[in-house]
Amino acid sequence: MRHTAIVKALGALLLLLTATSCENKKFEVNGHITDAQDSTLYFEHMSLAGAVVIDSAKMDQDGSFSFRGERPAAPEFYRLRIGQQIVNIAIDSTETITVKASYPTMSSHYEVEGSEECEKIRELSLLQIGLQAAVDNIVNNNELSAKQAEDSVNFVVEEYKESLKINYIFKEPMKAYAYFALFQTIRVGYAEGLLFNPRANEKDVKVYAAVATNWDAYYPESERGQNLHNIALEGLKDVRIMKAEREQTIDPEKVSVTGVIDIALPDSKGTVRHLNKLGGKVVLLDFHVFAMKESTERIMQLRDIYNKYHTLGLEIYQVSLDADEHFWKTTTAALPWICVRDENGMSSPFLASYNISQIPTFFLIDKNNTLYKRDNQIQNLDEEIKTLLK
């Protein structure tokens, strides 16, 4: 009888320990978000494939919420979202994280407790908001020339990147906040891209490699670590190719002898169109995104230029960087000039080849297939075209 009682007691203790162990493998994100009554708060996992909704809650007047999840084996990223207002969260243990915010401004004004990683991510989010505001002010400053605006944007962005590298990325490259900093983005005009470009910038590739090396060591089986590793390797390969192109050590048949970097991309019918095969014509090379707000106005301007000068020897070679292929095909169906699309979008290698930092941008190419001028060097487009057509 006594033996049976001991067995039962041990069994109960084992169940308790098992339950406690399972409980310890959970993390919790809770808090209060005021002024959000009747809104839906989403708790989302930021996977490598995009945002995945884990849970949601209908907000009441109190504004309290609580979400729980399984502790990840390696640092993972989540976010709280109401509409377009977002609070980013990093989880790397069984911690309990508390967030306090007010809905209309929760992206920029929130408090976080229980995680040093999340506090660092809050700092980074605020820094990014500040950078974006500074870039917007430069772009919208009508007193600056296009070249002055471009130089100013490049300066503040490079200064910001150096600060991130020193204070966040290289300081603790194995941390979740270093990874988060690595993937910050910036919007210049209508073009948005990564601050650190691993496909075209040798210095940026080294930053990815530094974080990848540490994640390989600390989280050897993690999906994010392996992804970083692959990005770094591909970046190193791309940089080597670009160096070879600059040094003209690649296959001579792949390099235009005219000085124009050839672009060979498919048009809407699938026919590959080569830029360097337009010798004998004056070419307006245009990089464009048809989905941007002011696209229609720009296309009307190009149509006017085309109608005036095409019969005299002008051709337009337009490169679309739109993500949606169907939209691009539908939008360009009636255009009379050459319009091709790069499926790489804003990661197009031609943006680096032509030193393009903002879209839209255009260049003029003379009849000898030699690059003549880019848009910020042109005061009167009509006069420049007339000069080249003579």
Side-chain angles (χ1 to χ4, degrees), residues 74-125:
E76 268 300 334
F77 297 90
Y78 301 82
R79 70 182 186 183
L80 299 169
R81 180 178 64 83
I82 300 178
Q84 298 302 312
Q85 290 291 308
I86 292 168
V87 172
N88 290 294
I89 301 290
I91 300 292
D92 64 356
S93 69
T94 56
E95 59 210 339
T96 296
I97 298 170
T98 300
V99 176
K100 298 177 182 178
S102 177
Y103 165 56
T105 58
M106 63 184 274
S107 290
S108 56
H109 296 82
Y110 71 91
E111 299 176 8
V112 60
E113 299 175 355
S115 169
E116 182 183 356
E117 291 271 24
C118 290
E119 174 58 28
K120 291 291 186 181
I121 286 176
R122 186 186 73 85
E123 292 175 13
L124 286 164
S125 297

Side-chain angles (χ1 to χ4, degrees), residues 64-298:
S64 62
F65 65 90
S66 179
F67 300 114
R68 306 186 76 190
E70 296 289 336
R71 182 190 68 182
E76 268 300 334
F77 297 90
Y78 301 82
R79 70 182 186 183
L80 299 169
R81 180 178 64 83
I82 300 178
Q84 298 302 312
Q85 290 291 308
I86 292 168
V87 172
N88 290 294
I89 301 290
I91 300 292
D92 64 356
S93 69
T94 56
E95 59 210 339
T96 296
I97 298 170
T98 300
V99 176
K100 298 177 182 178
S102 177
Y103 165 56
T105 58
M106 63 184 274
S107 290
S108 56
H109 296 82
Y110 71 91
E111 299 176 8
V112 60
E113 299 175 355
S115 169
E116 182 183 356
E117 291 271 24
C118 290
E119 174 58 28
K120 291 291 186 181
I121 286 176
R122 186 186 73 85
E123 292 175 13
L124 286 164
S125 297
L126 295 179
L127 288 172
Q128 184 180 18
I129 290 172
L131 173 66
Q132 187 62 66
V135 169
D136 289 344
N137 287 337
I138 294 170
V139 172
N140 296 326
N141 187 344
N142 294 326
E143 295 182 1
L144 297 177
S145 67
K147 184 64 167 61
Q148 289 173 325
E150 181 181 349
D151 289 345
S152 296
V153 168
N154 288 337
F155 177 79
V156 298
V157 167
E158 287 305 315
E159 287 286 300
Y160 180 85
K161 287 168 64 176
E162 287 302 313
S163 176
L164 285 194
K165 286 190 283 188
I166 295 170
N167 298 313
Y168 294 94
I169 298 175
F170 292 154
K171 188 175 182 179
E172 293 183 296
M174 78 295 294
K175 294 288 190 176
Y177 71 81
Y179 183 105
F180 182 85
L182 200 60
F183 287 93
Q184 284 199 329
T185 61
I186 186 67
R187 185 185 67 257
V188 181
Y190 297 102
E192 185 169 4
L194 290 169
L195 277 169
F196 294 95
N197 182 355
R199 300 191 63 176
N201 188 307
E202 185 174 6
K203 290 183 179 179
D204 290 354
V205 174
K206 291 179 180 178
V207 180
Y208 273 82
V211 179
T213 299
N214 277 269
W215 278 59
D216 281 346
Y218 281 83
Y219 318 108
E221 301 300 326
S222 74
E223 184 180 13
R224 289 190 183 276
Q226 292 171 4
N227 184 58
L228 271 182
H229 187 89
N230 291 336
I231 290 173
L233 288 179
E234 286 297 315
L236 290 170
K237 182 176 73 174
D238 290 342
V239 167
R240 284 196 295 269
I241 292 173
M242 289 176 61
K243 276 187 173 181
E245 289 176 344
R246 287 196 297 266
E247 296 168 3
Q248 297 185 353
T249 59
I250 60 175
D251 184 350
E253 294 183 0
K254 297 181 180 179
V255 180
S256 170
V257 296
T258 63
V260 168
I261 300 171
D262 188 30
I263 299 176
L265 292 169
D267 61 20
S268 60
K269 296 180 180 179
T271 303
V272 174
R273 309 295 292 270
H274 286 262
L275 174 64
N276 67 358
K277 290 185 178 180
L278 297 176
K281 294 180 179 291
V282 173
V283 180
L284 191 156
L285 169 62
D286 185 62
F287 290 84
H288 189 75
V289 175
F290 286 88
M292 68 182 185
K293 183 179 179 181
E294 298 175 356
S295 172
T296 301
E297 180 182 354
R298 182 176 176 82

Side-chain angles (χ1 to χ4, degrees), residues 314-357:
L314 173 75
E315 185 58 83
I316 295 177
Y317 186 101
Q318 189 167 47
V319 180
S320 164
L321 302 171
D322 289 85
D324 189 330
E325 182 179 11
H326 178 72
F327 171 79
W328 165 69
K329 286 183 176 180
T330 303
T331 305
T332 61
L335 294 183
W337 55 77
I338 298 170
C339 186
V340 298
R341 173 178 170 270
D342 190 335
E343 62 181 11
N344 294 304
M346 298 308 301
S347 297
S348 169
F350 297 116
L351 295 182
S353 299
Y354 279 86
N355 193 27
I356 295 171
S357 60

